């Protein structure tokens, strides 16, 4: 398997698919494309059907879009263990993953993922505050329902956690105030060896890519 990703510091969509593969210790190569470089589209030619990352290449197949990649890996290599077993929890996990995928535009715009950022607060727009509150509600609801079972949104780690990893990273980078239970969840996620590995690599990119910190 090969996963085509963007800059580790900024590519929140790449992080989701990469984290799932790493968490479950899958064997894969990675190929990094420098986002927004002048020759980005040239490097994406023949690799990325929609000129975006991530893309997974496996068995002659191209799978693009972070959620589609997570679904494929789950079915092909993980015997479906990356979604909750229980059908009601699975439906809930899919709902919040789809919501993460298609919403939170203001939060994404105002608080871009930046793993290298020294955490500090920004002043937040009303729409971003609404997005933040919705995300906290999603997390709290899951954590309360599954509280005795392992600390992740549905107890065990799942695709839902991979989908929200970039948001956890953003909340940390911009010092977003959260309730205690969410703080504990964020610490669990930020301390995942897979996330730490990603973050170290994001720091190592500094010498290669000259970009302004956001
Ligand atoms: N919905 C897609 C979004 C992919 C996406 O927008 N990727 C960004 C990098 S994080 C990208 O490739 N941007 C390049 C561009 O828009 O030209 C997914 O989940 O994979």
């Amino acid at each position: 398997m090969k996963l085509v990703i963007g800059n580790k510091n900024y590519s929140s969509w790449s992080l989701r698919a990469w984290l799932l593969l790493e968490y479950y210790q899958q064997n894969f190569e990675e190929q990094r494309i420098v986002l927004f470089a002048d020759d980005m589209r040239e490097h994406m030619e023949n690799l990325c059907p929609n000129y975006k990352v991530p893309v997974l290449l496996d068995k002659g197949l191209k799978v693009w879009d972070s959620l589609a990649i997570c679904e494929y890996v789950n079915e092909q290599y993980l015997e479906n263990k990356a979604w909750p077993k229980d059908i009601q929890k699975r439906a809930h996990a899919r709902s919040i993953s789809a919501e993460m995928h298609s919403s939170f535009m203001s939060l994404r715009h105002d608080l871009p993922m930046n793993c290298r950022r020294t955490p500090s607060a920004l002043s937040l727009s009303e729409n971003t505050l609404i997005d933040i509150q919705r995300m906290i509600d999603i997390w709290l609801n899951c954590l309360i329902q599954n509280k005795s079972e392992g600390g992740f949104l549905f107890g065990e780690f799942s695709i839902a956690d991979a989908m929200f990893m970039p948001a956890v990273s953003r909340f940390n980078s911009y010092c977003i105030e959260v309730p205690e239970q969410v703080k504990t969840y964020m610490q669990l996620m930020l301390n995942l060896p897979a996330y730490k590995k990603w973050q170290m690599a994001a720091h190592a990119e500094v010498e290669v890519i000259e970009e302004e910190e956001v």
Side-chain angles (χ1 to χ4, degrees):
M1 262 191 290
K2 183 193 269 190
L3 186 68
V4 184
I5 59 173
N7 313 24
K8 285 191 168 146
N9 195 47
Y10 300 115
S11 186
S12 55
W13 311 91
S14 301
L15 169 57
R16 297 161 171 178
W18 188 94
L19 190 84
L20 189 86
L21 288 168
E22 274 290 320
Y23 182 87
Y24 289 109
Q25 301 182 337
Q26 298 299 295
N27 245 334
F28 69 103
E29 277 175 63
E30 60 182 64
Q31 178 170 341
R32 199 178 62 112
I33 290 181
V34 179
L35 292 173
F36 312 118
D38 291 343
D39 56 358
M40 177 186 84
R41 281 179 78 89
E42 258 166 64
H43 288 288
M44 287 179 167
E45 197 75 54
N46 301 323
L47 273 180
C48 308
N50 60 348
Y51 290 92
K52 291 192 189 302
V53 287
V55 177
L56 184 77
L57 311 176
D58 189 39
K59 300 178 196 283
L61 188 70
K62 284 189 186 118
V63 189
W64 65 97
D65 191 285
S66 52
L67 188 52
I69 295 170
C70 291
E71 291 279 12
Y72 172 79
V73 169
N74 181 47
E75 288 182 7
Q76 181 72 266
Y77 294 107
L78 303 177
E79 293 156 348
N80 295 315
K81 69 178 173 215
W83 283 126
K85 268 203 189 73
D86 176 81
I87 189 164
Q88 294 192 356
K89 287 189 181 180
R90 199 158 64 245
H92 186 185
R94 284 197 161 113
S95 297
I96 64 168
S97 298
E99 184 174 345
M100 178 66 248
H101 211 41
S102 59
S103 315
F104 304 108
M105 299 312 170
S106 183
L107 188 156
R108 281 181 178 152
H109 177 267
D110 291 357
L111 309 179
M113 189 173 92
N114 183 342
C115 299
R116 288 197 293 268
R117 189 174 200 271
T118 306
S120 68
L122 285 185
S123 77
L124 302 168
S125 69
E126 201 173 316
N127 284 337
T128 298
L129 286 169
I130 291 170
D131 282 353
I132 287 172
Q133 192 52 55
R134 172 65 191 147
M135 206 171 278
I136 289 174
D137 290 346
I138 289 175
W139 290 343
L140 264 185
N141 184 21
C142 290
L143 295 170
I144 289 165
Q145 282 186 38
N146 301 297
K147 68 170 178 277
S148 56
E149 292 168 39
F152 293 102
L153 294 175
F154 293 89
E156 298 297 312
F157 182 85
S158 75
I159 290 173
D161 299 291
M163 291 300 289
F164 280 100
M165 184 75 246
V168 170
S169 170
R170 289 165 146 120
F171 272 47
N172 181 56
S173 297
Y174 299 97
C175 299
I176 306 299
E177 295 285 332
V178 295
E180 257 336 288
Q181 248 171 309
V182 170
K183 232 179 250 174
T184 307
Y185 170 65
M186 284 177 55
Q187 276 318 313
L188 178 68
M189 294 287 284
L190 294 168
N191 286 328
L192 285 175
Y195 178 68
K196 287 188 172 259
K197 193 169 163 187
W198 175 276
Q199 206 188 17
M200 273 173 60
H203 277 274
E205 281 176 340
V206 175
E207 287 131 42
V208 187
I209 306 155
E210 292 293 329
E211 282 161 311
E212 287 293 306
E213 278 217 359
V214 183

